[in-house]
């Protein structure tokens, strides 16, 4: 239990492999398809900034949320839709600058 990655790799290994195989794969560092083999630390940091932006409500969002109880029942889902669109538009520049959309555009 020296490393969380070793523990997670051991949990994701096939159940028929014994503990010697697990220790050999974790010590070799060959990236044999383990849980963290394809992760890029810089990409994770960029993703973290996107998730932080999603969790920070803007003044406009707070205003719409404050208006929601005052609206009729049939108009309340429109507020939810508007909030989702506002989140999407606020995150798109972060996704573009982070390089997440390079393969799509």
């Amino acid at each position: 239990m020296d490393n969380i990655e070793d523990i997670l790799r051991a949990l994701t290994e096939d159940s028929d492999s014994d503990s010697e195989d697990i220790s050999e794969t974790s010590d070799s560092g060959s990236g044999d398809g383990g849980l963290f083999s394809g992760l890029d630390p810089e990409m994770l940091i960029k993703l973290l900034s996107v998730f932080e932006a999603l969790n920070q409500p803007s003044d406009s969002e707070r205003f719409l949320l404050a208006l929601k109880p005052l609206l009729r029942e049939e108009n309340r889902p429109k507020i939810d839709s508007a909030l989702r669109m506002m989140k999407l538009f606020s995150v798109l520049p972060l996704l573009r600058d982070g390089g997440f959309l390079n393969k799509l555009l």
Side-chain angles (χ1 to χ4, degrees):
M1 288 194 191
D2 298 341
N3 194 336
I4 293 175
E5 183 176 350
D6 294 337
I7 295 168
L8 290 174
R9 187 176 292 133
L11 291 173
T12 58
E13 292 290 325
D14 292 332
S15 61
D16 59 341
S17 63
D18 57 350
S19 62
E20 292 176 12
D21 292 338
I22 293 172
S23 64
E24 288 174 7
T25 58
S26 64
D27 292 338
S28 66
S30 62
D32 57 348
L35 185 62
F36 297 113
S37 63
L39 293 179
D40 182 19
E42 293 178 15
M43 189 66 71
L44 290 175
I45 292 171
K46 291 176 186 177
L47 271 175
L48 181 64
S49 68
V50 170
F51 288 131
E52 286 176 354
L54 282 173
N55 288 331
Q56 298 296 325
S58 67
D59 290 338
S60 302
E61 293 171 19
R62 284 191 288 262
F63 176 71
L64 288 175
L65 286 172
L67 282 180
K68 188 175 176 180
L70 303 174
L71 297 176
R72 288 183 272 163
E73 273 304 314
E74 62 266 12
N75 291 334
R76 290 179 186 175
K78 293 178 184 178
I79 294 289
D80 296 330
S81 177
L83 288 171
R84 283 192 297 270
M85 288 176 46
M86 289 173 66
K87 285 288 187 185
L88 177 66
F89 289 133
S90 68
V91 170
L92 279 175
L94 295 172
L95 293 173
R96 184 189 64 228
D97 295 341
F100 295 107
L101 299 177
N102 288 343
K103 295 179 184 177
L104 298 176
L105 300 177

